[in-house]
Amino acid sequence: MDRTFDHLFQGMNELTLKNIEDQVIVVTGASSGIGLVTARMAAERGAKVVVAARNEEALRQLVEELKEKGHTATFVKADVGEEEDVYKIAATAINEFGRFDTWVNNAGVSIFGHAMDVSNEDINRLLATNFWSVVYGSKVAVKHFKERGIPGALINVGSLFGDRGTVIQSAYAATKFAVHGWTDSIRMELEKEKAPVSVTLIHPGRIDTPYNEHAKSYLDKQPAHRGMVYPPKAVAEAILYSAEHPKRDMHIGSQAKIFEMLGTYFPRFTDKLIEVFLYPTQHKSTPSTPREENALYRAGYGLHERGTNVGWKRSGSIYVKASQYPILKFALVAGIGAIALSTVKGKKK
């Protein structure tokens, strides 16, 4: 059964979450991209925000910016791949505000390169940042919500490459598959025990952030998204909607949903599609930055919402808007399914 029908089961273990303006929201990876936009949007809507990242100066400037606008915010310099640093984030939120109501596991980085070329050391580091950080954050958040006995939201940011493998970013895809599996599994366990936790998995498509500039590159050409890319505000909108309304999944863009559906129902066709289209659309024609210039082991540059991607830059995501209304989402998914089916049939002729 498609996830579109999840609304039919609402009420079985329905939780009531606070309005954004009444929340304390923790956002990891908040110094740039999706995390930065989410923090700014949450603060604008009245939430108290706790921002965390490795780039202390960027966080300091962000908090000063928010406070100058009359918002309430604090920051924590933290490497979320280190368990003790994640505890420090939670402790700061509790010490400053007495609690947190939503925890967003957003921090992440990538590696561009063929799987056999990427060092095991780099893959281990990638796992620490992308996967273990989610494990640490999930455990801290769930423990806090259970102790308080008041419903809270745990929101984990995955990827379209966590739904279907890809080329060139194979190590990144593996970490996001792990995030998806972890999130789906703990959601069922927590729902079974009726824990006061809403668990949401965010499925971003290609997003226009500094993600590619922060990635470690084994390529000769500079990593970049080419083709259709969505603004980080579309992901932030999905995150904040999930902070107020219990949602199982939120896909950012029909691109992400189509990718998931094709991979599920037409796996071999999708293999070939990826082999043809994903190689040239993950880099620009310019030379790659030196391999040592990346944010895998140290903080990347901060306070940039957008990256240097090329292609069709969307102003928003119709799919995110539709996801807030089950009937509209059903109609959109049905249309996407029909398009996907006709595409496959056309290729087979």
Side-chain angles (χ1 to χ4, degrees):
M1 184 180 297
D2 193 273
R3 290 168 182 168
T4 304
F5 294 96
D6 283 354
H7 67 282
L8 296 177
F9 298 96
Q10 289 179 359
M12 293 176 65
N13 263 331
E14 192 63 52
L15 299 171
T16 300
L17 302 174
K18 295 179 181 178
N19 294 330
I20 291 295
E21 62 266 26
D22 299 320
Q23 289 200 32
V24 176
I25 299 180
V26 175
V27 183
T28 69
S31 61
S32 67
I34 293 168
L36 176 60
V37 178
T38 301
R40 283 172 168 162
M41 285 180 62
E44 288 288 343
R45 290 181 55 183
K48 298 177 177 66
V49 296
V50 180
V51 292
R54 291 174 295 177
N55 190 328
E56 183 174 8
E57 183 55 33
L59 293 177
R60 191 183 307 279
Q61 291 182 40
L62 172 60
V63 168
E64 289 175 356
E65 167 201 316
L66 297 179
K67 287 183 174 179
E68 286 175 1
K69 294 180 178 180
H71 307 316
T72 304
T74 190
F75 74 89
V76 186
K77 179 185 178 183
D79 181 342
V80 291
E82 300 290 336
E83 189 173 6
E84 290 301 319
D85 279 16
V86 177
Y87 292 151
K88 185 170 64 174
I89 298 169
T92 299
I94 294 168
N95 291 337
E96 288 280 335
F97 306 116
R99 71 183 198 283
F100 55 86
D101 305 289
T102 292
W103 183 289
V104 183
N105 282 314
N106 164 73
V109 68
S110 187
I111 297 173
F112 283 73
H114 289 93
M116 299 303 119
D117 296 334
V118 179
S119 73
N120 291 341
E121 179 185 12
D122 285 350
I123 294 174
N124 280 328
R125 176 59 195 177
L126 197 70
L127 277 165
T129 301
N130 292 3
F131 174 64
W132 279 108
S133 67
V134 174
V135 174
Y136 302 147
S138 297
K139 289 189 172 184
V140 164
V142 169
K143 181 176 183 291
H144 181 67
F145 297 145
K146 283 183 175 182
E147 288 176 348
R148 293 185 67 221
I150 299 173
L154 170 62
I155 301 173
N156 294 338
V157 178
S159 170
L160 79 165
F161 294 143
D163 293 317
R164 186 58 169 79
T166 187
V167 293
I168 298 180
Q169 291 190 77
S170 47
Y172 174 79
T175 66
K176 289 301 183 178
F177 264 81
V179 169
H180 288 211
W182 167 262
T183 305
D184 285 345
S185 300
I186 66 170
R187 183 192 296 111
M188 291 184 290
E189 292 180 357
L190 293 169
E191 185 174 56
K192 179 68 174 178
E193 66 182 81
K194 295 182 170 54
V197 188
S198 170
V199 181
T200 300
L201 179 61
I202 304 293
H203 306 244
R206 286 175 157 182
I207 310 299
D208 185 21
T209 71
Y211 163 93
N212 300 299
E213 289 85 350
H214 289 168
K216 183 166 185 176
S217 174
Y218 282 72
L219 305 179
D220 294 329
K221 296 179 180 179
Q222 176 60 25
H225 293 323
R226 301 181 65 182
M228 185 189 298
V229 292
Y230 294 88
K233 71 176 184 180
V235 189
E237 181 182 347
I239 289 171
L240 295 182
Y241 183 79
S242 302
E244 288 185 308
H245 308 87
K247 294 286 292 183
R248 186 184 192 280
D249 302 270
M250 289 288 281
H251 291 76
I252 317 304
S254 55
Q255 174 192 82
K257 189 62 180 179
I258 290 172
F259 202 66
E260 179 187 64
M261 292 176 69
L262 282 175
T264 299
Y265 297 110
F266 309 103
R268 192 67 182 122
F269 168 78
T270 307
D271 287 347
K272 293 298 183 182
L273 196 66
I274 288 173
E275 290 167 17
V276 172
F277 291 106
L278 265 292
Y279 275 101
T281 64
Q282 295 193 78
H283 60 74
K284 295 191 286 189
S285 58
T286 57
S288 177
T289 55
R291 188 173 298 183
E292 64 273 10
E293 294 182 14
N294 62 80
L296 184 60
Y297 292 96
R298 58 183 180 274
Y301 64 87
L303 296 181
H304 286 72
E305 294 183 357
R306 299 296 192 109
T308 57
N309 300 291
V310 293
W312 178 21
K313 296 185 179 181
R314 301 287 302 276
S315 60
S317 168
I318 295 174
Y319 198 89
V320 170
K321 301 288 187 184
S323 294
Q324 300 173 24
Y325 305 97
I327 294 177
L328 291 179
K329 182 181 176 183
F330 172 75
L332 189 57
V333 170
I336 289 172
I339 292 171
L341 183 60
S342 64
T343 299
V344 173
K345 286 182 176 179
K347 292 290 183 180
K348 289 181 177 179
K349 288 182 180 179

